[in-house]
Amino acid sequence: MKACLLRTPARIETNPLQFIEVPEPEPAAGDVRVRVHVCGVCRTDLHVIEGELPTRKSPVIPGHQVIGIVEDSGTGAKRFATGARVGIAWLHKTDGTCEYCKRGQENLCDAPEFTGYSVNGGFAESVVAPESFVYPVPEGFPDEQAAPLLCAGIIGYRCLRMAEVGENAKLGFYGFGAAAHVAIQVALYWGAQVFASTRDARHQRLAMELGAKWAGGTLDAPPEKLDAAIVFAPAGEIVPAALKALRKGGRLILGGIHMSPIPSFGYDLLYQERTIRSVTNNTRMDGEEFLNLAARIPIRTRVQVYPLSEANRALNALKNDAIPGAAVLRVGA
Ligand SMILES: [Zn+2]
Ligand SMILES: [Zn+2]
């Protein structure tokens, strides 16, 4: 099969993904093999490719927002019929036995496996995954539009829940890429007001088009005090600026898997019961809840589609803020 393989982490400007022929994976017991139609491109893929996350598997096929159809099932895998449309997300597998898994916090599992990072992912014509970590995909979403729901969407949803967004809440977004352009639709559905801080003018325009009350530069002060804010951009210098924008008791949620160092700041920015909390992975329940909600709202994603062979180009565009919405690789069918 064709795949985009990363042999050694390197800056994306050097086009480190090799579009080559590799052996097709075989589903082990409990696995399904999915014929990939599309795979979304996420900032986490960029962190893996550029080596900002420590290498877990080498070489590796990145990609963790797969939409495709089940084409083969390993021994004992009976959940999906051949031909069923499914999604594969970041969480490939958990051990199911550590104290976090037992407590219902599988997103914090001590021994997790991740799609496109510790196991091969979806920048390929097919991929295998345990059937219990695969999602049925609601009808009504074309493949391209569904792909960004699987990471950008699910992680954004977990961030929104941590932010405790209610009716009339004033919510700040820092960075307005794939996750934020989905999360704003959920936040507005819940009756919140969204204030978008982002460096790129195109992203500011997209925020306003999607219903933000205000959009400005990353470090500009929003016109009103915020009940909560979510930082999607991987830039630590945003943290003090976002704390400054919060009202007393406000909540700051950090949505990324990687962030540049956070500069020191005075205690007064945190005092008065402001909180900072990171979001780490997601549980399968988050995924199922979000996909149902996405169908109900319904979420409309904006995607820019590239062929699989041009994954490097898509990732370069992502790094340069050149994608309004989400990038998606078209693989097959
Ligand atoms: Zn565990
Ligand atoms: Zn992701």
Side-chain angles (χ1 to χ4, degrees):
M1 66 170 185
K2 286 274 191 281
C4 284
L5 192 69
L6 177 72
R7 292 191 191 280
T8 313
R11 287 165 51 81
I12 196 65
E13 291 82 355
T14 66
N15 299 323
L17 292 178
Q18 298 178 334
F19 182 60
I20 56 166
E21 194 72 30
V22 299
E24 189 146 271
E26 286 302 323
D31 284 355
V32 288
R33 182 169 67 209
V34 172
R35 173 73 29 193
V36 181
H37 288 178
V38 298
C39 187
V41 178
C42 172
R43 188 163 286 276
T44 298
D45 298 314
L46 199 53
H47 294 318
V48 169
I49 292 164
E50 298 202 311
E52 285 160 328
L53 297 177
T55 298
R56 290 274 302 263
K57 176 184 187 304
S58 184
V60 68
I61 300 170
H64 57 271
Q65 302 186 91
V66 174
I67 301 286
I69 56 165
V70 173
E71 64 172 2
D72 196 6
S73 296
T75 315
K78 295 193 174 67
R79 184 175 170 206
F80 296 102
T82 301
R85 190 169 76 137
V86 295
I88 299 174
W90 171 244
L91 193 61
H92 174 81
K93 191 160 102 181
T94 56
D95 60 9
T97 56
C98 75
E99 58 175 310
Y100 298 99
C101 283
K102 283 188 197 150
R103 233 187 254 158
Q105 295 177 303
E106 65 180 359
N107 61 306
L108 300 178
C109 178
D110 282 333
E113 298 284 348
F114 299 113
T115 313
Y117 179 37
S118 64
V119 299
N120 283 335
F123 291 0
E125 287 177 321
S126 73
V127 59
V128 293
E131 63 168 3
S132 56
F133 284 82
V134 169
Y135 298 93
V137 178
E139 289 171 29
F141 294 107
D143 291 339
E144 281 93 349
Q145 260 95 59
L149 301 176
L150 287 165
C151 184
I154 295 173
I155 296 295
Y157 172 70
R158 191 171 172 89
C159 292
L160 288 169
R161 283 202 9 248
M162 301 287 174
E164 298 171 35
V165 180
E167 191 77 28
N168 293 320
K170 295 183 175 65
L171 173 66
F173 284 172
Y174 288 83
F176 205 86
H181 104 287
V182 176
I184 189 173
Q185 299 178 53
V186 178
L188 296 179
Y189 181 75
W190 286 343
Q193 299 173 6
V194 172
F195 300 79
S197 302
T198 180
R199 64 186 175 187
D200 186 85
R202 279 167 298 193
H203 291 185
Q204 291 174 9
R205 273 201 301 279
L206 179 60
M208 294 304 288
E209 263 174 63
L210 290 173
K213 196 167 176 200
W214 171 89
T218 313
L219 302 177
D220 296 350
E224 297 183 56
K225 284 286 181 195
L226 305 173
D227 297 299
I230 302 173
V231 180
F232 292 110
E237 69 266 20
I238 292 172
V239 170
L243 280 172
K244 210 174 280 179
L246 291 182
R247 67 157 170 79
K248 292 184 254 187
R251 298 167 295 281
L252 182 61
I253 310 302
L254 310 182
I257 192 171
H258 167 83
M259 188 178 254
S260 59
I262 300 171
S264 70
F265 52 84
Y267 182 52
D268 58 314
L269 289 187
L270 190 59
Y271 186 60
Q272 294 168 318
E273 306 203 338
R274 295 177 182 89
T275 55
I276 303 179
R277 187 172 183 181
S278 68
V279 161
T280 302
N281 310 321
N282 64 274
T283 65
R284 280 171 282 178
M285 198 190 283
D286 293 327
E288 283 152 20
E289 279 178 16
F290 170 70
L291 290 173
N292 288 326
L293 177 64
R296 212 159 53 240
I297 292 178
I299 298 283
R300 289 286 169 249
T301 55
R302 305 239 182 145
V303 296
Q304 194 150 330
V305 181
Y306 296 80
L308 176 63
S309 58
E310 294 184 18
N312 285 308
R313 194 161 70 86
L315 283 148
N316 273 288
L318 174 67
K319 187 173 181 179
N320 293 315
D321 289 341
I323 302 205
V328 171
L329 302 180
R330 159 88 20 213
V331 181

